[in-house]
Amino acid sequence: MEKRMGEIEILGKVYPLNFSLRIAQRYNELAKENRPGEFGVDHRTLELLHLLMEDAAAYNRVVLGKESETLSLEALELVFTPADTPKVAEAIRKALELGGMRMVTAKSSKKNEGKG
């Protein structure tokens, strides 16, 4: 099976992260919202992390038939500090990268070999 999920370690436990079309659409909505009084990038980063965790749990349940734990957005807000933003951003970047890559192999038919 191809590796398509990222991960992040939080308080000694590793959580999977999954990037899908559903997450891309939701994050575009979050980026457009004007939310006075929030930390901006740091808060949106945690919201995206939460979405990736939820999507990984859904992917595991639907595709792999196994349950995986997630943390609530509130828990993430309590655990992480602004100093953790680079760590969180790197985990998100890796999940987005893995979710966007596909390992595709194609075999040509005998009829098409040698044509080019």
Side-chain angles (χ1 to χ4, degrees):
M1 177 178 14
E2 65 183 309
K3 177 157 172 55
R4 63 168 282 147
M5 283 200 251
E7 60 186 32
I8 188 168
E9 184 176 331
I10 303 171
L11 301 175
K13 183 170 179 170
V14 176
Y15 295 88
L17 305 174
N18 186 52
F19 177 66
S20 66
L21 179 59
R22 175 172 65 172
I23 299 305
Q25 291 169 337
R26 178 66 184 124
Y27 190 67
N28 283 337
E29 293 169 12
L30 285 174
K32 290 178 188 175
E33 292 177 11
N34 182 10
R35 298 166 154 201
E38 291 185 350
F39 279 89
V41 174
D42 291 339
H43 192 266
R44 281 187 296 215
T45 300
L46 286 183
E47 287 183 89
L48 178 56
L49 177 64
H50 181 248
L51 291 171
L52 292 168
M53 289 175 79
E54 286 185 331
D55 205 63
Y59 181 88
N60 283 339
R61 185 179 63 255
V62 171
V63 177
L64 303 178
K66 65 179 189 177
E67 294 297 319
S68 60
E69 190 178 333
T70 65
L71 293 175
S72 69
L73 180 57
E74 179 183 27
L76 294 175
E77 291 168 341
L78 291 169
V79 170
F80 289 114
T81 70
D84 293 317
T85 299
K87 172 188 172 180
V88 173
E90 177 59 22
I92 290 170
R93 185 198 61 75
K94 185 72 172 178
L96 298 179
E97 186 178 282
L98 289 170
M101 287 190 213
R102 294 291 178 266
M103 302 301 284
V104 178
T105 57
K107 295 182 181 180
S108 67
S109 67
K110 296 269 185 201
K111 181 170 90 170
N112 291 328
E113 285 182 12
K115 293 182 180 180

